[in-house]
Amino acid sequence: MRILNCILTFLLFGLISCNSTDEIFTDENYQDTIGQDIGGILIRDIHHYNDFNSFNYDIEYSYKDKNDSISKIGKGSFYGQQPTENEQLIRIGKWFVFKTSGDRDKDFIFISDSNNTWLKYEISSETIQQNGLWKEQNINAQKANWDNVAKVKQIDNNGNVTVMYEFAKNKRIFSFLTGKRKVEYKINLQTGKLSMDNIYEL
């Protein structure tokens, strides 16, 4: 028993000496900026924290346009992953569109016109399965499961949004059995509203 205690003590001191607590536990706030292809600057106020289990980046976004006018976009979150280095707003007609991570399993899309009022749309397992188009197809899927992940893969210049959605199958025998769908959304170029347009089996 005494030998075991000595070994554990040695390992503990070794861990402390090789890794400072700053490397194990982090809780910091900082700001960075990203030049935008459409002009202006994306401002990110970042709260980064981590522990033994994982790490997270919570970000508050603002946009400073070419006339130095600043508007608050909203918040995003990167769980267990580094924030995208070159996040970009895109211009679709008269609309400004910005996509970012909402968490490990979902994304956010923010849409604004020249009045700088941003509307947030959540792309997640919950919002997909609540949609009438999804319910009409009677898809065999669990409503809440760790395996359910919805991520935006593309937003094109015509306002078409492609989402890849992987979900746990309902009443599955094996925990790894999942289904996949490509879910398409459309940004209305007149109103700026985002709506589900179609669902494709993969």
Side-chain angles (χ1 to χ4, degrees):
M1 188 68 178
R2 187 173 181 179
I3 295 174
L4 180 60
N5 287 337
C6 290
I7 293 173
L8 290 174
T9 302
F10 176 80
L11 290 174
L12 179 61
F13 278 110
L15 178 64
I16 293 173
S17 64
C18 293
N19 297 282
S20 71
T21 54
D22 288 340
E23 292 173 333
I24 299 172
F25 299 103
T26 301
D27 194 339
E28 61 179 349
N29 293 281
Y30 61 95
Q31 184 183 92
D32 70 8
T33 59
I34 302 172
Q36 298 296 290
D37 295 340
I38 63 171
I41 296 171
L42 180 68
I43 303 169
R44 306 194 298 186
D45 291 301
I46 301 172
H47 178 205
H48 170 223
Y49 52 95
N50 67 279
D51 55 26
F52 283 112
N53 296 317
S54 188
F55 58 94
N56 208 71
Y57 293 85
D58 292 334
I59 305 177
E60 292 190 24
Y61 294 97
S62 300
Y63 175 54
K64 183 177 182 180
D65 65 20
K66 291 179 284 188
N67 298 317
D68 291 336
S69 176
I70 299 177
S71 62
K72 290 187 178 295
I73 298 174
K75 297 180 179 180
S77 183
F78 291 82
Y79 176 84
Q81 58 179 323
Q82 298 286 335
T84 305
E85 290 186 2
N86 190 30
E87 291 187 287
Q88 292 285 327
L89 286 79
I90 60 175
R91 186 77 181 263
I92 301 175
K94 64 180 180 179
W95 307 101
F96 296 94
V97 181
F98 177 65
K99 187 274 292 184
T100 192
S101 174
D103 207 335
R104 173 197 64 85
D105 57 348
K106 62 188 175 185
D107 280 344
F108 294 145
I109 294 176
F110 296 89
I111 301 175
S112 172
D113 60 13
S114 58
N115 293 322
N116 292 329
T117 300
W118 293 86
L119 292 178
K120 181 178 79 171
Y121 293 89
E122 178 180 309
I123 306 297
S124 66
S125 176
E126 182 178 3
T127 60
I128 288 173
Q129 293 201 33
Q130 286 176 347
N131 191 279
L133 190 59
W134 177 274
K135 291 179 179 179
E136 287 175 7
Q137 296 198 13
N138 195 28
I139 298 169
N140 175 27
Q142 293 186 28
K143 290 185 177 180
N145 191 286
W146 178 262
D147 288 336
N148 292 6
V149 177
K151 288 292 181 177
V152 176
K153 294 302 179 185
Q154 183 181 12
I155 303 175
D156 70 21
N157 292 328
N158 296 315
N160 299 306
V161 180
T162 302
V163 174
M164 303 305 295
Y165 178 43
E166 184 169 357
F167 54 88
K169 290 186 176 181
N170 199 26
K171 298 180 180 178
R172 59 185 183 173
I173 298 173
F174 301 104
S175 61
F176 55 82
L177 290 179
T178 59
K180 291 183 180 180
R181 294 292 189 278
K182 181 172 75 171
V183 185
E184 291 189 347
Y185 290 78
K186 180 74 175 179
I187 298 172
N188 186 307
L189 299 184
Q190 298 301 315
T191 65
K193 292 184 178 180
L194 180 72
S195 60
M196 189 182 293
D197 191 50
N198 218 328
I199 301 171
Y200 299 96
E201 186 171 1
L202 298 175

